[in-house]
């Protein structure tokens, strides 16, 4: 490989550097890659490898960022580079707005990476734009990959919890209830059914808090009774205490009893 480099082999430096790097000879690998770029600065793979060296081994994130940007410039058809560039920016504490701007610059690469798309809607939710993030999730057909199970469904639940909490604080109790309940149901476009990774306890916790917050104050306005519409969900309605398949009780018995006891105590103290 060294001989090939000396003879002007365009990619020999890339391969020799990879060999050194694999043998933990990191500085030698970096020197060979830099030599390869002096011979041909358009080698995107070398720019990408140097970015990894500068960040992981040399602790120089700014140089790593410059190299990754060069990699994207010369190998702009590689969607993996978008993921690695975003991971680099994340580790450098770039703001959500700055990272979202990067996704706007590479829309075609974004379409090819489900993990980047999930990262984008997570960034949108960090800005408090929960409805927009929910709409983004609905618009995409995901292909769940090994190692990525549960990440989308977990984000789905948190999106609806945070949006429901926001609505509840604004006094929009009816819409907040619907948003919480939507968080329990996964669109088929996610390509992932409910599994062990699903987290829903926080949804039902805030749903119970919502009922407590929205019902008790109504006593002073004339509320004299409460009625459970139905015990379980049916095919077109999801306002039951348990799901359609009877697999999930949305609010634990003790929690519902506590709410009922508070309501009963308020009624008994009415003069």
């Amino acid at each position: 490989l060294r001989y090939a480099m000396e003879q002007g082999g365009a990619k020999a430096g890339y391969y020799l550097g990879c060999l050194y790097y694999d043998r933990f000879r990191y500085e030698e690998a970096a020197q060979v890659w830099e030599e390869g770029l002096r011979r041909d600065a358009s080698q995107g793979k070398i720019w990408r490898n140097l970015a990894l060296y500068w960040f992981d081994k040399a602790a120089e994130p700014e140089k790593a960022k410059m190299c990754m940007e060069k990699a994207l410039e010369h190998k702009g058809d590689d969607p993996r580079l978008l993921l690695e560039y975003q991971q680099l920016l994340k580790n450098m504490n770039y703001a959500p707005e700055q990272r979202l701007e990067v996704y706007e610059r590479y829309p075609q690469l974004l379409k090819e990476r489900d993990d980047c798309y999930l990262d984008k809607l997570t960034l949108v939710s960090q800005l408090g734009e929960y409805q927009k993030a929910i709409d983004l999730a609905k618009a995409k057909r995901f292909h769940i990959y090994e190692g990525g199970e549960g990440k989308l469904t977990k984000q789905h639940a948190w999106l609806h919890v945070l949006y429901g909490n926001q609505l509840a604080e604004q006094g929009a109790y009816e819409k907040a209830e619907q948003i919480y309940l939507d968080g329990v149901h996964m669109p088929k476009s996610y390509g992932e059914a409910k599994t062990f990774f699903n987290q829903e306890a926080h949804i039902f916790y805030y749903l119970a808090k919502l009922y407590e917050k929205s019902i008790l104050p109504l006593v002073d306005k004339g509320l004299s009774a409460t009625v459970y519409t139905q015990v379980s969900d049916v095919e077109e309605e999801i306002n039951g205490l348990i799901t359609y398949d009877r697999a999930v009780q949305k609010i634990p018995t003790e929690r519902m009893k506590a709410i009922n006891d508070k309501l009963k105590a308020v009624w008994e103290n009415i003069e």
Side-chain angles (χ1 to χ4, degrees), residues 49-97:
N49 284 9
L50 273 174
L52 300 183
Y53 164 76
W54 286 119
F55 188 84
D56 291 338
K57 307 304 176 184
E60 298 216 31
E62 288 298 333
K63 287 186 178 181
K65 178 174 177 290
M66 181 275 291
C67 288
M68 192 61 76
E69 289 168 350
K70 285 287 188 179
L72 279 164
E73 176 185 340
H74 294 292
K75 204 171 186 302
D77 60 345
D78 187 348
R80 181 182 178 85
L81 294 179
L82 179 60
L83 171 67
E84 293 178 339
Y85 186 40
Q86 284 288 2
Q87 289 176 329
L88 179 62
L89 296 179
K90 183 178 181 179
N91 279 284
M92 293 175 70
N93 294 318
Y94 272 67
E97 296 90 343

Side-chain angles (χ1 to χ4, degrees), residues 91-160:
N91 279 284
M92 293 175 70
N93 294 318
Y94 272 67
E97 296 90 343
Q98 294 171 297
R99 294 183 56 212
L100 283 169
E101 192 275 329
V102 171
Y103 282 131
E104 294 301 320
R105 293 206 308 265
Y106 301 100
Q108 193 58 43
L109 297 183
L110 177 62
K111 289 180 181 179
E112 299 184 46
R113 299 282 320 195
D114 281 5
D115 43 12
C116 286
Y117 194 91
L118 176 57
D119 183 51
K120 178 182 177 179
L121 67 89
T122 301
L123 292 170
V124 170
S125 69
Q126 289 177 354
L127 298 179
E129 300 180 46
Y130 306 121
Q131 184 62 67
K132 180 179 178 180
I134 291 170
D135 292 340
L136 282 171
K138 289 180 179 179
K140 172 78 170 177
R141 178 167 290 280
F142 291 86
H143 303 84
I144 299 303
Y145 52 95
E146 184 176 358
E149 304 93 337
K151 292 182 178 180
L152 175 59
T153 54
K154 180 179 180 180
Q155 184 64 27
H156 171 88
W158 273 112
L159 280 175
H160 288 79

Side-chain angles (χ1 to χ4, degrees), residues 210-229:
L210 175 70
Y211 290 152
E212 188 174 351
K213 183 188 296 184
S214 60
I215 293 175
L216 292 178
L218 296 179
V219 174
D220 290 336
K221 298 181 180 181
L223 177 69
S224 59
T226 57
V227 178
Y228 297 118
T229 304

Side-chain angles (χ1 to χ4, degrees), residues 7-60:
Q7 299 303 309
K11 295 184 179 180
Y14 166 74
Y15 293 120
L16 182 57
C18 290
L19 182 61
Y20 282 147
Y21 208 86
D22 182 59
R23 296 297 184 268
F24 311 109
R25 296 164 64 176
Y26 304 120
E27 292 183 2
E28 291 175 88
Q31 291 171 3
V32 170
W33 285 331
E34 288 175 335
E35 183 179 344
L37 288 175
R38 285 193 292 271
R39 296 172 184 271
D40 181 4
S42 67
Q43 296 190 68
K45 288 185 177 181
I46 292 184
W47 284 114
R48 178 261 184 186
N49 284 9
L50 273 174
L52 300 183
Y53 164 76
W54 286 119
F55 188 84
D56 291 338
K57 307 304 176 184
E60 298 216 31

